[in-house]
Amino acid sequence: FFAGGGADPNTMMGASVCRSARCARLASLGRRMQHTLPAHELARYREDGWIVPSVSLDKEELEAARRSLGEVLARNPGVPPEQLVNAHLEGHEGQGMGVRGSRGILALASNPKLVDAAAACLGTDDVILWGVQIFCKPAGSGKAVPWHQDGQYWPIEPLRACTLWVALDESTPSNGGLHVISGSHCEGEIPHEAHRNDEAAISVYLTDEALGPARLARSHAVALQPGQVSIHDAMIVHGSKSNRSASRRAGVACHYMPAQSHFRRDLRTFADREGGLNLDYSQRPLVVVKGENRNSANTGLMPLDESLQAREAAAGAVE
């Protein structure tokens, strides 16, 4: 994939109306809050649906995150390294496909500078960390993650959410780095289809033919050095090729939502209904990492002090 072909869906009037409406809503977010990202970065995020911000991990934070990655990999030898869901949960909480996580990953995801960057993109001072996934593509064998929109997999209403992708290794097109289609976050839901593909880490996704040449022309490779971060909207079309290089490519995807939204534990997502990954959101803890919960329907809240303790424990291990 990542090559042009097929009809161009962008010519459809419905897509154009949906695109302009969603972009208008996104542009209106956060006008009354003080942003921690520079104005030009935030403007670019609103327009393109992704950025590589000035925020990054320092040397000590990167080393701590890499140690935590090693712990998770060692604890889960039978889990595909591209599917380490709920990597921030040490025990059985959330039943993350049987994954045994690490408090160090929770410490990373609750790092104030990452959380503040997410808050700026979401346009709120109240932020919930609802998921963390490790994407580790071993050298020469890492699977592809075909084009998709995260929002097709997520039970959040209204669907305002973003991902901070933290690079623990160098991430480039040659080792299976991320690609995004700029502006696609404004188009709303683009119909996904179920596929059988043993070389792919997901089974419900978009093909090049479904996207069309006009969208594919807006594809960008997101190259990151270790410690750098990219941020992308829940509805941006993105994906990555398999890793056929001699270098591992590992990163941590931290998923945040505004605390005003509802995490619908009773909702079967489109991807789940179509036979995609069964992520079981029914018991997943929600960590309020900034401000407070603003939606009384949200359940399973994990106290903030637990995440703070995790970060302090990780910092103590560095000293």
Side-chain angles (χ1 to χ4, degrees):
F1 53 106
F2 304 134
D8 176 18
N10 282 335
T11 59
M12 298 173 60
M13 180 176 295
S16 177
V17 171
C18 185
R19 174 186 173 89
S20 60
R22 190 169 196 273
C23 280
R25 291 196 299 272
L26 292 171
S28 68
L29 297 176
R31 287 175 177 162
R32 294 188 298 274
M33 68 173 288
Q34 183 176 356
H35 300 302
T36 56
L37 294 179
H40 71 278
E41 291 183 356
L42 195 56
R44 179 59 58 189
Y45 178 79
R46 299 276 186 250
E47 181 176 348
D48 290 344
W50 70 281
I51 54 171
V52 177
S54 48
V55 173
S56 63
L57 301 184
D58 61 31
K59 181 180 179 180
E60 290 75 19
E61 291 167 335
L62 176 59
E63 290 176 352
R66 282 174 165 168
R67 285 196 300 274
S68 297
L69 169 65
E71 291 175 6
V72 176
L73 292 174
R75 291 172 180 173
N76 300 276
V79 180
E82 303 92 346
Q83 296 180 352
L84 289 165
V85 179
N86 281 0
H88 61 309
L89 302 176
E90 274 193 328
H92 63 279
E93 311 101 320
Q95 303 296 325
M97 297 175 66
V99 173
R100 294 182 58 207
S102 165
R103 290 177 65 82
I105 298 297
L106 178 57
L108 171 67
S110 59
N111 185 313
K113 61 186 174 184
L114 300 186
V115 172
D116 286 348
C121 291
L122 293 172
T124 181
D125 288 317
D126 302 290
V127 179
I128 288 174
L129 171 74
W130 65 268
V132 180
Q133 182 168 351
I134 288 174
F135 289 93
C136 182
K137 294 185 179 182
S141 63
K143 290 187 176 182
V145 183
W147 294 119
H148 66 286
Q149 294 171 302
D150 288 336
Q152 303 268 6
Y153 288 82
W154 294 355
I156 299 170
E157 293 182 351
L159 184 54
R160 285 173 51 202
C162 70
T163 294
L164 269 71
W165 204 97
V166 185
L168 303 188
D169 298 329
E170 184 179 23
S171 181
T172 68
S174 64
N175 69 353
L178 188 70
H179 287 70
V180 297
I181 295 183
S182 291
S184 57
H185 65 305
C186 292
E187 297 186 47
E189 293 186 358
I190 303 172
H192 290 43
E193 293 184 353
H195 301 267
R196 296 189 66 179
N197 183 353
D198 292 339
E199 297 301 314
I202 58 176
S203 58
V204 178
Y205 55 83
L206 293 157
T207 62
D208 288 348
E209 290 73 22
L211 289 171
R215 287 195 183 102
L216 293 172
R218 306 198 307 270
S219 172
H220 294 270
V222 183
L224 300 172
Q225 292 298 309
Q228 280 193 296
V229 176
S230 67
I231 309 176
H232 61 264
D233 184 87
M235 293 305 291
I236 195 168
V237 175
H238 63 290
S240 60
K241 293 183 179 181
S242 58
N243 182 8
R244 300 306 179 198
S245 76
S247 302
R248 186 189 73 174
R249 178 258 195 180
V252 181
C254 307
H255 305 309
Y256 304 92
M257 60 180 260
Q260 294 84 358
S261 289
H262 180 197
F263 193 79
R264 288 279 307 275
R265 300 185 183 279
D266 61 325
L267 184 67
R268 287 192 69 195
T269 64
F270 169 81
D272 183 21
R273 295 195 306 271
E274 293 298 313
L277 291 175
N278 180 8
L279 298 176
D280 186 9
Y281 296 119
S282 63
Q283 301 297 321
R284 182 174 296 196
L286 305 179
V287 184
V288 181
V289 289
K290 185 178 179 68
E292 58 185 285
N293 177 47
R294 299 289 183 176
N295 191 316
S296 60
N298 286 328
T299 59
L301 298 169
M302 179 184 288
L304 176 59
D305 59 356
E306 291 189 22
S307 112
L308 292 175
Q309 290 169 10
R311 188 164 63 248
E312 290 168 358
V318 175
E319 296 174 355

